[in-house]
Amino acid sequence: MGVIMRIIQQFDPAYEREFMALEKQFDALEKQRPDYPKGKRMQPISGGEPAHSLIWQYEFPDLETAYQTLNFFSGDDGHEDLFRQQVAFIRLVKIEFYKSLDF
């Protein structure tokens, strides 16, 4: 059973340009590093989250691996450097886990 992890960040819409510029750097970091999961980024058009949100999603083989990745992110210098810059624009962070139903 796969587990989908979603990291949802609501940001201050007045700083969308700055927030997204940093998010592009996160994307580049993922692409440069083979040890990073290559997540999918989405921004709501309509739905349960406001339009000033960024959703990062990735499917892991299990819940333990998803949690290990959260620990990896918080311990990685490259990730932490970017996050320290981006956190000034973030209003709310939610982390959600979904069981993948591959029937």
Side-chain angles (χ1 to χ4, degrees), residues 13-66:
Y15 295 99
E16 181 171 4
R17 182 175 294 131
E18 294 87 348
F19 179 89
M20 289 300 183
L22 287 162
E23 196 59 36
K24 285 182 183 179
Q25 292 181 50
F26 275 110
D27 184 63
L29 182 64
E30 283 179 18
K31 289 175 180 169
Q32 291 172 329
R33 300 261 311 264
D35 54 341
Y36 264 74
K38 311 305 183 242
K40 181 175 181 89
R41 288 171 173 77
M42 301 170 280
Q43 188 172 17
I45 296 171
S46 69
E49 300 298 333
H52 60 278
S53 299
L54 178 108
I55 301 166
W56 181 92
Q57 176 177 301
Y58 188 81
E59 186 166 351
F60 294 91
D62 52 52
L63 189 57
E64 182 179 339
T65 306

Side-chain angles (χ1 to χ4, degrees), residues 1-5 59 63 96-102:
M1 166 193 76
V3 172
I4 296 169
M5 179 171 69
E59 186 166 351
L63 189 57
E96 300 175 340
F97 298 95
Y98 297 87
K99 176 173 51 174
S100 181
L101 299 177
D102 297 323

